[in-house]
Amino acid sequence: LRSLAINDRWSEHVTGDKPSCYDISWYTVAGMASLSRGAPDLAELTLYAGDFLDLEELVLPRLRSLAIRTGGLKRVRLAALLDRAWPSLERLELWFGREQYGADIDVPDLQRILDGTVFPNLRWLGLMNAEFTDELCVELHRAPVLPQLEGLSLAMGCLSSNGAPHLIAHSDAYRHLRELDLSKQLLDERSLESLGRVFPQARLTAQRGNRHYRYAMVGE
């Protein structure tokens, strides 16, 4: 077994600006010790869950791609993930979700990801579906992990006209990226135009919602 998705009922079908994810925050994921023993050669793993996500015993040192898609990722779950060695991981995708569905992570909790020590071979990073995207943009340009990345996604979060100027002001730090996904945010037209000029490689499609009501795209 090389590739596995658990609780995958995500649909790419979109009605308006809302994806169909079938009550993602009511899912649980457990049994990671059994998975680690039974599929030690797993290369790709995608988990869909709410705030109960058993990562404490997930030990897959050969894993190359990991996606954790939640409506509410807890700090304790993230800490368990970061306490493991991931020498082969090249792609990491994290959906943080909404506070009312259990999310309690903020930018300081991501320090071990941003400093590049936990994932030394990371090439693509998704810090997605977050309510703190603006605050993250204040720090990203100086993150030691950034120069080694080929792709970065902040999609489905709360990037607004408050956070966009920080990306633009430090655009040189992002020039090397082949992919920069800023889609499905809360950007106004002026910010979109400015970002499009500075980052021709950026994906800026499907902006959504009321910029005065900050919410991660996927919660319940």
Side-chain angles (χ1 to χ4, degrees):
L1 185 64
R2 296 291 184 270
S3 181
L4 178 65
I6 296 177
N7 286 339
D8 183 2
R9 298 183 65 194
W10 175 264
S11 171
E12 292 298 332
H13 174 71
V14 175
T15 302
D17 65 354
K18 295 183 179 180
S20 177
C21 58
Y22 301 102
D23 297 330
I24 192 171
S25 284
W26 306 112
Y27 298 169
T28 63
V29 171
M32 293 296 98
S34 297
L35 175 64
S36 299
R37 290 193 301 269
D41 296 325
L42 205 61
E44 300 178 0
L45 178 62
T46 301
L47 305 174
Y48 293 80
D51 61 6
F52 184 82
L53 185 64
D54 171 21
L55 298 176
E56 284 78 4
E57 295 183 317
L58 182 65
V59 183
L60 292 168
R62 298 176 187 173
L63 202 66
R64 296 179 61 187
S65 175
L66 176 62
I68 298 176
R69 299 175 176 174
T70 80
L73 185 60
K74 286 187 174 294
R75 183 178 295 118
V76 65
R77 308 298 180 195
L78 179 63
L81 178 73
L82 300 182
D83 283 341
R84 298 282 176 267
W86 302 95
S88 302
L89 203 73
E90 298 175 359
R91 182 184 179 95
L92 176 65
E93 177 182 332
L94 299 174
W95 293 12
F96 298 102
R98 302 182 191 176
E99 184 178 1
Q100 62 264 46
Y101 291 105
D104 62 359
I105 291 170
D106 209 337
V107 177
D109 301 305
L110 306 181
Q111 188 56 48
R112 284 192 284 171
I113 298 175
L114 298 179
D115 68 17
T117 55
V118 178
F119 307 103
N121 289 305
L122 204 62
R123 296 294 176 265
W124 190 96
L125 176 61
L127 301 174
M128 303 165 61
N129 196 43
E131 295 184 330
F132 52 81
T133 315
D134 278 346
E135 293 78 8
L136 181 58
C137 289
V138 177
E139 303 294 333
L140 264 177
H141 69 277
R142 51 177 167 246
V145 74
L146 184 59
Q148 74 188 53
L149 298 179
E150 298 174 358
L152 174 68
S153 176
L154 304 177
M156 304 160 56
C158 291
L159 179 62
S160 72
S161 57
N162 293 322
H166 294 281
L167 293 175
I168 294 168
H170 302 284
S171 58
D172 286 347
Y174 304 92
R175 298 273 187 210
H176 66 288
L177 294 174
R178 297 179 183 176
E179 177 186 352
L180 178 60
D181 191 347
L182 304 176
S183 62
K184 302 174 184 176
Q185 308 278 357
L186 306 178
L187 293 166
D188 58 26
E189 288 299 323
R190 180 176 295 181
S191 297
L192 285 172
E193 291 174 4
S194 299
L195 286 166
R197 286 195 300 269
V198 175
F199 300 113
Q201 81 277 37
R203 184 181 179 191
L204 295 164
T205 57
Q207 298 299 308
R208 63 185 175 82
N210 185 332
R211 294 187 299 276
H212 304 292
Y213 173 44
R214 293 164 56 89
Y215 60 95
M217 186 170 180
V218 177
E220 184 176 5

